[in-house]
């Protein structure tokens, strides 16, 4: 066949008019794959003549064949693959076969070619992104393939994989000729539970395990390999590996144990392992060494005595807080740093392992500083020179009396110079807020706090009270009301000079007043716990209506432009003025019989008369629509057009109110009726609607979801004016998304009433009838798969409709992977229906030449097998013909899988979802 020129002309990729590249399938390559195990030399001879081909199926086949033929023949393919390094291995090449090719070479005696291929696939290289290395394999396949290659590398694994890790760190710019930050990737080599899986951590774990095994086999050789890498990370792994080898050394012959102890002694005495980055692993090793050779730890005495490897004069400069600092003060600070370092290192080694002289030092440090509870635990590293740190903790605050706590807050000052992770009022405020949340009466009885404390601390107290209320904890209501009133009455200017940077201390009272309004808004909600006495409710309502009415808060909100990207509902949570509007609506929601109702309504009317160009107040109105309908429809109805617009059109503010109302509320017929004119105007506008809240659905789609709900619940028909407008005007894709969203919601319902389900089925049939007459609207059918996945419709109903939907809207086939298990499950009861649907989905696939049916693992083989075994001769012929067609398109293993189904080796349980 080769001599006849059968394999000489694979088609080249074609660039389409849309600028895409189309790969044409070459059926001859499937034949070469099938015969390669039987005639490997002849197949490789053919492949080598195709080196210049850019056909993606050829490149895929080279790896598939190379993974399945004898290694000496596979090695001949190396020049061919090498020629593709610059142009790429082809998007269709299977990463599993690429890894399998390398494994085949390594295990088949072609070590040199196998290592070359392994390096090609797994060794990181430079990329355009200076902090993200380039890799031949995607992250998932890197994780999947690395263990296979490491196993095949056998004893060569460590010296092969360690350079991959070092190169990854270099290309990530964590390791250069001038600095080494590799230890920051893993503070503890043993434990990575808090890290997100990544290629870097896969490499670290692999090198760690390889080093441990190598150290157990030949400690001298393993230590020499690890020493070739100058990374801090490599030193940490070395210490870990020796520790693990020592732990398993009791079962080794004495001679082997002596070799390991000799390596251990060199590590313990090696100054390169005294870096702070190695503290945890060094401590683990020292504890193990003490069990085998305590004398090996004698070098620790000189190491600890010498102190940290820091320039003392540089340290003194860093610790200097004032030009007038005395040498004695600086010496005390330097000594505190040294003592902290010694305490951490000695605790890491542990009292039982320390030489007697150092054991006494640790005892003294424990007595003066307290015992370090988890000396081998990873610390929370500070990666920034700023942070909200507190001079005292929540627990220390909790043991103070109210008088002592206030005195401390009044007297403490931020004296930091900006160097290091300093203490701040904000940090202390957060601890205070935490205390008040669990003990809201921690300051009760202290008078004049609004004048005595910084606004940072007052804000913290108010935020703590708000959190306590949300948790159902009762406050001292009169004290809270009195302090809130005084804060709202306070001017915006603070008498306290700001200390620290902008985020270390509040410069004025604006943040504190916002916290006060937030607290009042929370207290204005209807609640059972904590129960607020009626007289206190009235006081808080009066504060919200009166003292919280701030013209400066309105101006600050109206003039700000920094949050233009936020939606109006989210914006309403960030500013004092719209928060008060929400609080007024909370007061109104208590009902018309409350003593504050009329005043709250009047205050609300004054606020909604403002020209709110940012729309936060309109979003708040939309959010509260359901409560307004319930509490006072007489107040709401005449204002609907002003707030939500009419059939004649919608302003931006009215769009915000409408879209927020529909986004935050579930469908309700009363709200639907009220919003009918507004929804019609929104549908007919022809312009994108302003979303009051960026929820999961586009605003126009959300209107469609309400229309569908109204119809299937029997509240409305297709003649409803909103329904008529939506199905006549909205884009087909939006209509389909609305229908699909409701079908999706059925998945999460424990049950669906038969009447609702049947009306939904009728709605679908009506929309299919429409598409039959208007094929250009086919995208309306694009999400039918949710009907299938919902599990609320019988297969006898959805199977023929799915087939018709795919025929009317071929794009539906792109979602076939969503419903594979359901299709396969029908094959037993309705083999013809399942087969025809599977065939329709695959015939209408989005891209020519797809070699994988991708319905899901085992689904297609099962459907074809059930058709073959159905007893229907015509169906059997159709199934065999379709199976052969898929086989010709590159699915060479399909026939084997179909036979496994027929033999009972593959069942419905094997079909993946």
């Amino acid at each position: 066949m080769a001599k006849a020129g059968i394999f000489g002309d694979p088609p080249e990729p074609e660039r389409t008019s849309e600028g895409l590249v189309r790969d044409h399938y070459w059926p001859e390559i499937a034949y070469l794959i099938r015969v390669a195990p039987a005639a490997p030399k002849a197949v490789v001879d053919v492949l080598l003549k195709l080196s210049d081909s850019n056909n993606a199926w050829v490149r895929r086949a080279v790896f598939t064949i190379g993974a399945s033929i004898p290694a000496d023949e596979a090695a001949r393919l190396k020049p061919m693959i090498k020629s593709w390094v610059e142009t790429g291995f082809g998007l269709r090449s299977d990463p599993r076969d690429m890894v399998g090719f390398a494994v085949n070479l390594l295990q088949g005696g072609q070590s040199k070619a196998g290592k070359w291929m392994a390096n090609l696939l797994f060794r990181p290289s430079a990329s355009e992104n200076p902090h993200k290395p380039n890799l031949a394999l995607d992250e998932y396949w890197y994780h999947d393939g690395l263990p296979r290659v490491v196993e095949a590398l056998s004893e060569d694994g460590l010296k092969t994989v360690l350079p991959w890790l070092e190169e990854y760190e270099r290309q990530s710019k964590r390791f250069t000729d001038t600095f080494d930050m590799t230890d920051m990737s893993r503070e503890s080599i043993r434990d990575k539970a808090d890290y997100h899986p990544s290629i870097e951590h896969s490499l670290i774990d692999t090198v760690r395990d390889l080093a441990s095994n190598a150290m157990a086999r030949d400690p001298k050789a393993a230590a020499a390999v690890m020493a070739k890498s100058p990374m801090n990370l490599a030193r940490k792994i070395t210490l870990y590996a020796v520790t693990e080898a020592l732990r398993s050394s009791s079962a080794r012959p004495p001679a082997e144990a002596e070799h390991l102890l000799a390596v251990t002694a060199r590590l313990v005495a090696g100054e390169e392992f005294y870096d702070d980055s190695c503290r945890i692993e060094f401590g683990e090793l020292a504890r193990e060494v003490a069990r085998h050779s305590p004398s090996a730890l004698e070098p620790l005495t000189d190491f600890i005595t010498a102190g940290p490897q820091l320039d003392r004069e540089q340290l003194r400069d860093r610790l200097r807080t004032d030009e007038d600092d005395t040498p004695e003060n600086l010496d005390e600070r330097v000594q505190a740093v040294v003592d902290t370092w010694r305490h951490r290192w000695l605790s890491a080694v542990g009292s039982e392992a320390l030489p007697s002289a150092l054991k006494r030092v640790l005892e003294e440090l424990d007595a003066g500083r307290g015992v370090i509870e988890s000396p081998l635990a990873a610390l929370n590293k500070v990666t920034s020179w700023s942070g909200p740190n507190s001079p005292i903790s929540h627990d220390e605050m909790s043991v103070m009396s109210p008088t002592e706590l206030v005195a401390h807050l009044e007297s403490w000052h931020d004296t930091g110079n900006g160097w290091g992770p300093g203490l701040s009022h904000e940090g202390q405020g957060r601890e205070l807020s935490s205390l008040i949340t669990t003990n809201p009466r921690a300051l009760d009885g202290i008078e004049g706090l609004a004048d005595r404390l910084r606004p940072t601390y007052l804000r913290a107290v108010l935020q703590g009270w708000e959190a306590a209320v949300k948790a159902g904890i009762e406050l001292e209501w009169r004290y809270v009301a009195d302090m809130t009133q005084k804060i709202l009455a306070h001017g915006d200017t603070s008498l306290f000079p700001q200390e620290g940077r902008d985020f270390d201390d509040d410069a004025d009272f604006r943040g504190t007043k916002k916290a006060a309004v937030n607290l009042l808004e929370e207290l204005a909600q209807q609640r059972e716990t904590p129960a607020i006495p009626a007289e206190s409710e009235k006081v808080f309502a009066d504060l919200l209506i009166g003292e919280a009415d701030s013209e400066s808060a309105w101006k600050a909100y109206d003039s700000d432009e920094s949050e233009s990207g936020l939606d109006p509902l989210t914006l309403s949570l960030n500013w004092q003025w719209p928060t008060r509007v929400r609080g007024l609506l909370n007061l109104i929601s208590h009902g018309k019989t409350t003593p504050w109702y009329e005043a709250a309504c009047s205050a609300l009317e004054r606020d909604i008369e403002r020209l709110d160009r940012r729309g936060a107040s309109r979003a708040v109105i939309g959010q509260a629509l359901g409560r307004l309908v319930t509490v006072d429809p007489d107040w709401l109805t005449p204002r609907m057009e002003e707030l939500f617009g009419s059939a004649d059109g919608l302003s931006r503010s009215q769009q915000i109110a409408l879209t927020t109302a529909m986004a935050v509320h579930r469908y309700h017929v009363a709200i639907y009726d009220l919003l009918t004119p507004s929804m019609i105007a929104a549908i007919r506008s022809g312009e994108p609607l302003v979303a009051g809240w960026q929820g999961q659905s586009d605003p126009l789609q959300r209107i469609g979801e309400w229309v569908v709900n109204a119809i299937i619940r029997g509240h409305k028909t297709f003649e409803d004016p909103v329904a008529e407008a939506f199905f006549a005007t909205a884009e087909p894709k939006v209509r389909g998304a609305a229908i699909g969203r409701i079908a999706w919601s059925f998945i999460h319902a424990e049950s669906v009433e038969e009447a609702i389900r049947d009306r939904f089925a009728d709605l679908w049939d009506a929309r299919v009838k429409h598409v039959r007459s208007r094929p250009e609207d086919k995208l309306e059918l694009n999400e039918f798969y949710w009907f299938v996945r919902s599990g609320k419709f019988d297969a006898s109903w959805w199977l023929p409709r799915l087939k018709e939907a795919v025929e009317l809207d071929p794009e539906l086939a792109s979602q076939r992977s969503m419903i594979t298990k359901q299709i396969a499950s029908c094959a037993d009861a309705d083999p013809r229906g399942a087969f025809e649907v599977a065939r329709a989905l695959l015939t209408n696939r989005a891209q020519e030449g797809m070699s994988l049916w991708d319905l899901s693992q085992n689904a297609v083989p099962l459907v074809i097998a059930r058709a073959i075994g159905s007893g229907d001769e015509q169906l059997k012929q159709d199934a065999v013909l379709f199976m052969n067609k898929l086989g010709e398109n590159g699915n060479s293993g399909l026939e084997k899988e179909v036979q496994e189904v027929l033999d009972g080796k593959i069942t419905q349980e094997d079909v993946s979802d």
Side-chain angles (χ1 to χ4, degrees), residues 105-161:
L105 293 170
L106 290 166
Q107 293 179 337
Q110 297 295 320
S111 177
K112 184 176 180 180
K115 289 180 182 177
W116 174 82
M117 189 64 202
N119 275 291
L120 200 61
L121 295 178
F122 291 95
R123 186 184 179 96
S125 60
S127 70
E128 294 180 0
N129 185 334
H131 298 287
K132 187 175 182 180
N134 182 53
L135 295 158
L137 298 174
D138 290 339
E139 185 167 311
Y140 174 82
W141 295 115
Y142 197 103
H143 290 307
D144 181 75
L146 185 59
R148 296 173 58 197
V149 167
V150 167
E151 183 180 1
L153 284 166
S154 188
E155 294 187 6
D156 289 336
L158 180 60
K159 59 185 178 184
T160 303
V161 181

Side-chain angles (χ1 to χ4, degrees), residues 150-151 153-160 206-223 225 241-242 244-246 248-249 252-253 255-257 259-260 263:
V150 167
E151 183 180 1
L153 284 166
S154 188
E155 294 187 6
D156 289 336
L158 180 60
K159 59 185 178 184
T160 303
T206 300
V207 172
R208 177 193 68 184
D209 296 340
L210 285 168
S212 299
N213 294 332
M215 201 68 71
R217 288 194 311 269
D218 187 345
K220 183 177 179 181
V225 171
V242 174
E244 292 303 294
L246 276 175
S248 61
S249 64
R252 303 180 188 282
E256 291 186 13
H259 290 314
L260 181 59
V263 169

